[in-house]
Amino acid sequence: MEIFLQQVLSGLATGAIYASLALALVMIYQTTELINFAQGEMAMFSTYIAWALINAGMPYWAAFFLTIGISFVGGMAIERIIIRPVEKAPVLALVIVFIGLLVIFNSLAGWLWTYTIKEFPSPFPVGSPGGNTYIGFHQLGMIGVTLLVLLFLYLFFRFAPLGLALRAVAQNPVSSRLVGVRVGWMLALGWGLAAAVGAVAGMMVAPRLFLDPNMMGGVLLYAFAAALLGGTTSPLGAVIGGFTLGVLENLAGTYIPFIGTELKLAFALGIIILVLLVRPQGLLGKKIVARV
Amino acid sequence: MVAMLELKNVEAFYGPIRALHGISLSVEQGGIVTVLGANGAGKTTTLRAICGMIKTTGSIKFEGREIFGKLTESVARLGIAHVPEGRGTFEKLTTEENLRLGAFTRRDRNAVAEDMDRVYGYFPVLAERREQQAGTLSGGEQQMLAIGRALMLRPRLMLLDEPSFGLAPMIVQEIFRIMRSINENDGVSMLLVEQNAALAMDLADQAFLLETGEVVMSGDTKTMKEDESIRTSYLGY
Ligand SMILES: Nc1ncnc2c1ncn2[C@@H]1O[C@H](COP(=O)(O)OP(=O)(O)OP(=O)(O)O)[C@@H](O)[C@H]1O
Ligand SMILES: [Mg+2]
């Protein structure tokens, strides 16, 4: 029972990361109907920026917020400069652009900071509250920070005029233009937000994974599975999917002997295939009815 | 006196296909102009051309300024509100959010709140459906919402694409009555595309008749109503 609880709680902590990244994927998917394969590498790159800032002597939280700001602007710039010109290109061309971005960020990080693994600090104390054996401060912190991010996004999309405009653009760009919404900038804003959310996920997961240019590969696969499980059209679904997968991953690793740590990625792929076969629209997603 | 809106020799294209063959028309300050014509005549296309939604050539002036070639969102920001064919509802948003979006470009929060009340005053049924998903409103309610959304821009010119489409005669009467009072009380000029020629001619001061992308007749609605051919082919008496 103790092991079970431990696994569930630490699963929720990693699940928080999957949830954030899945949410970033959904945010871009809603306006473009494409999965940004570079989302993980963008988060990794942001984390390196934070690392460089901290190494240069900046206090943790200052570096944390500055990194979020840089990532936000960077995300917007990527949309404006790289995605914009190919916006109307065929899907395959866009997929190649995304993969190109992935490769560029990966090699750029390797070139700037080498491929040797680095330690990334946690802002939370070591150990666990009251010395309990279930969940440590850092894991609690990961969950807490993620919940704060989610709360912020919820309030933004629910109450801020810009958040409303973003939702409007996602469902009806033509009508959005007719009420004067600058659709191009809203798409850029979506990318900025996704990059910022990804940056938080990267900085939260890095103390556990260590920092290296390939750290996000596995995480992105899980985030992708989470987005699919929850429904790529539903932000809430993505979050639920993320937490669910974090827990499932841990439980499967503990209780299904042959999975262990080696087959964790295969497990994510298994989930992806299962979802696609059984419920392609995900738990909360909307079924897309194609006209024949 | 400069016309509020003036189109000169406007051509519009869907890909290689030319849908408008040099249209000229104008709307006076505070006036109501109706554009009539059979299905496929190019009425919707005319409104799309004004809003920069489709490839166009020619000249389109709003309050004396050339707006030809501007982005759709920039045209809206000038004070031109388009109630599009099919209503353009944001279906997954609530009624109130749809209306808030209409005022997206405005910064005068207090006046926006007043306008919201005014719209609910014109269309009390929308107030009852404030928190309802707009996609679940009835067709007539969505039409009212589309007009309300356009009003929230506090426009100087409204472009209305078949506001009577698919509505019960009672509701059509009601909507036209409200449009008249918007025109009279708020001084909003209107360019009204309609199938219901009789109603449109009653409301408008000027009419333009389109046939396959060309203006074939235009003038005062009073004189046009007397015209034999118009009476038989459009008014049906
Ligand atoms: N998206 C489009 N792509 C290609 N051709 C189009 C498109 N929209 C309209 N057309 C063509 O342009 C012409 C004018 O269409 P338009 O929609 O302006 O007609 P309308 O007068 O509004 O008709 P209705 O009363 O049926 O709404 C038609 O021949 C139509 O087939
Ligand atoms: Mg039409």
Side-chain angles (χ1 to χ4, degrees):
Chain A
M1 192 59 203
E2 186 174 329
I3 293 185
F4 176 78
L5 253 183
Q6 260 173 4
Q7 293 299 329
V8 168
L9 289 172
S10 84
L12 285 178
T14 20
I17 303 303
Y18 301 154
S20 308
L21 220 52
L23 197 60
L25 289 177
V26 165
M27 249 187 275
I28 291 183
Y29 183 86
Q30 285 201 315
T31 44
T32 57
E33 306 210 327
L34 288 167
I35 292 290
N36 177 13
F37 295 108
Q39 200 76 58
E41 307 307 277
M42 284 164 59
M44 172 276 294
F45 201 84
S46 299
T47 313
Y48 266 103
I49 294 176
W51 178 84
L53 291 173
I54 293 169
N55 250 27
M58 192 178 272
Y60 182 91
W61 289 111
F64 179 85
F65 286 110
L66 184 57
T67 300
I68 293 178
I70 293 173
S71 307
F72 177 77
V73 174
M76 285 188 74
I78 290 174
E79 199 280 337
R80 290 268 98 175
I81 298 164
I82 299 172
I83 308 298
R84 195 87 214 283
V86 291
E87 207 173 37
K88 300 223 163 61
V91 175
L92 195 56
L94 275 160
V95 168
I96 290 170
V97 170
F98 285 153
I99 292 175
L101 273 176
L102 183 158
V103 174
I104 288 171
F105 277 116
N106 191 291
S107 355
L108 202 59
W111 180 63
L112 286 172
W113 293 295
T114 76
Y115 285 88
T116 43
I117 290 176
K118 296 183 170 52
E119 270 196 53
F120 191 88
S122 166
F124 307 108
V126 278
S128 59
N132 79 75
T133 49
Y134 297 109
I135 186 162
F137 280 116
H138 180 73
Q139 288 178 319
L140 271 178
M142 282 163 81
I143 298 177
V145 167
T146 303
L147 291 181
L148 280 180
V149 169
L150 295 180
L151 179 69
F152 168 80
L153 288 175
Y154 172 76
L155 294 177
F156 172 76
F157 280 109
R158 183 83 175 74
F159 296 109
L162 272 181
L164 180 60
L166 249 171
R167 282 194 289 152
V169 166
Q171 46 176 292
N172 196 335
V174 176
S175 285
S176 302
R177 287 207 157 87
L178 290 179
V179 296
V181 174
R182 297 197 196 283
V183 171
W185 280 106
M186 290 303 120
L187 298 181
L189 179 63
W191 273 76
L193 282 175
V197 171
V200 176
M203 289 186 282
M204 285 295 115
V205 78
R208 307 194 72 203
L209 291 181
F210 297 106
L211 192 53
D212 101 81
N214 299 317
M215 66 187 264
M216 287 309 232
V219 179
L220 185 71
L221 193 62
Y222 265 91
F224 180 50
L228 217 54
L229 177 65
T232 35
T233 51
S234 159
L236 179 64
V239 170
I240 293 173
F243 281 109
T244 310
L245 270 182
V247 173
L248 275 185
E249 174 196 17
N250 267 4
L251 293 182
T254 313
Y255 293 107
I256 309 178
F258 62 87
I259 288 191
T261 38
E262 287 79 18
L263 284 182
K264 274 191 168 181
L265 286 187
F267 179 71
L269 277 174
I271 298 263
I272 291 176
I273 292 170
L274 198 71
V275 172
L276 288 177
L277 285 177
V278 178
R279 199 175 157 84
Q281 75 271 33
L283 296 175
L284 299 184
K286 256 243 197 82
K287 202 172 199 156
I288 293 166
V289 185
R291 261 208 270 197
V292 256
Chain B
M1 160 110 195
V2 206
M4 168 145 254
L5 179 76
E6 187 160 39
L7 275 66
K8 271 206 189 115
N9 215 7
V10 171
E11 299 187 345
F13 302 84
Y14 291 104
I17 302 161
R18 188 164 66 175
L20 296 183
H21 308 278
I23 291 216
S24 300
L25 61 81
S26 63
V27 181
E28 294 303 320
Q29 179 80 44
I32 303 183
V33 169
T34 182
V35 174
L36 306 171
N39 294 122
K43 305 182 296 295
T44 297
T45 307
T46 306
L47 299 191
R48 285 187 182 144
I50 296 168
C51 289
M53 298 165 80
I54 121 171
K55 207 180 107 202
T56 335
T57 65
S59 156
I60 303 171
K61 284 199 175 127
F62 178 62
E63 296 181 330
R65 274 194 296 167
E66 188 62 62
I67 60 166
F68 171 85
K70 275 195 189 295
L71 290 174
T72 304
E73 47 265 48
S74 309
V75 173
R77 281 162 186 260
L78 290 175
I80 300 182
H82 186 157
V83 180
E85 189 171 58
R87 304 174 188 125
T89 311
F90 297 99
E91 298 190 345
K92 280 186 271 176
L93 303 183
T94 64
T95 301
E96 179 123 341
E97 285 171 332
N98 269 267
L99 292 177
R100 270 172 61 201
L101 271 169
F104 176 72
T105 56
R106 293 173 55 188
R107 293 290 163 263
D108 45 345
R109 282 165 155 248
N110 293 335
V112 169
E114 275 169 30
D115 285 354
M116 188 82 86
D117 289 340
R118 206 162 51 104
V119 169
Y120 286 142
Y122 281 135
F123 306 111
V125 62
L126 292 184
E128 290 164 29
R129 308 257 185 278
R130 234 176 253 253
E131 294 304 321
Q132 193 171 323
Q133 271 209 353
T136 64
L137 296 179
S138 80
E141 289 162 352
Q142 287 192 42
Q143 191 65 62
M144 297 176 200
L145 181 58
I147 295 174
R149 196 179 65 218
L151 276 179
M152 291 304 291
L153 184 73
R154 206 171 258 199
R156 290 200 296 277
L157 174 67
M158 275 175 101
L159 311 177
L160 297 128
D161 200 337
E162 300 197 34
S164 72
F165 186 80
L167 303 185
M170 286 272 291
I171 299 183
V172 173
Q173 295 279 355
E174 174 71 6
I175 283 185
F176 272 68
R177 194 182 57 72
I178 291 170
M179 277 162 49
R180 180 183 293 285
S181 87
I182 291 168
N183 171 257
E184 283 170 1
N185 301 340
D186 307 320
V188 179
S189 317
M190 294 183 179
L191 183 56
L192 168 68
V193 163
E194 257 306 333
Q195 293 285 353
N196 191 331
L199 258 180
M201 297 264 251
D202 280 344
L203 182 66
D205 350 289
Q206 297 255 311
F208 289 79
L209 196 56
L210 288 193
E211 241 169 57
T212 56
E214 275 172 290
V215 178
V216 290
M217 191 188 277
S218 65
D220 278 356
T221 42
K222 282 200 194 72
T223 13
M224 280 179 75
K225 270 190 263 186
E226 306 300 318
D227 187 280
E228 193 64 35
S229 66
I230 299 238
R231 276 168 59 159
T232 46
S233 36
Y234 287 94
L235 300 174
Y237 53 82

